[in-house]
Amino acid sequence: MIHGIGISLTATTFDLSKPLAAMAERAKLDGFEFYYTRHIAEDVFELELRRDYIGVKTKVSAEYLQKYIPHSCLEGFLMGEYDRLSYMLGAVTGCNNAPEDLK
């Protein structure tokens, strides 16, 4: 379980615990492993899905989150990133768990 993961930007604080926990739970149901890494020096977040030792990653800038993603849309944005990663991982592993509209 993911606890206390948040980002503090100049005037905004995002709590990422709930969206990241939802992504981890969804990955478990889809048969994937989910990893999250924060690179403080670069101020980016790395999201990764793995299956059978094969993984796909994406990086999201904290500055991008602050400027363009309203706090109320954060979970939807991150789930969209999950869908994209799931589709790419499915393409390379032959196990496509992507939603129908992405197939």
Side-chain angles (χ1 to χ4, degrees):
M1 185 171 242
I2 300 169
H3 294 284
I5 296 173
I7 57 173
S8 293
L9 305 167
T10 41
T12 309
T13 300
F14 289 110
D15 180 13
L16 299 177
S17 301
K18 183 179 174 186
L20 292 174
M23 292 173 79
E25 182 62 29
R26 185 169 166 199
K28 184 178 176 182
L29 294 173
D30 289 345
F32 298 139
E33 297 172 46
F34 173 76
Y35 296 93
Y36 162 87
T37 306
R38 179 173 182 197
H39 299 282
I40 296 172
E42 299 171 33
D43 207 17
V44 296
F45 304 90
E46 185 176 86
L47 307 172
E48 180 179 7
L49 282 181
R50 289 186 196 169
R51 182 183 185 121
D52 301 328
Y53 305 105
I54 299 171
V56 292
K57 296 180 185 181
T58 191
K59 288 186 179 181
V60 179
S61 161
E63 181 181 0
Y64 178 85
L65 290 177
Q66 180 186 21
K67 284 185 176 181
Y68 302 108
I69 308 299
H71 192 286
S72 62
C73 298
L74 186 60
E75 188 166 352
F77 170 78
L78 290 174
M79 280 301 178
E81 288 297 302
Y82 178 94
D83 288 341
R84 192 169 63 83
L85 289 170
S86 175
Y87 180 78
M88 289 188 300
L89 186 57
V92 296
T93 63
C95 177
N96 200 338
N97 290 330
E100 282 300 316
D101 58 339
L102 292 178
K103 289 184 181 178

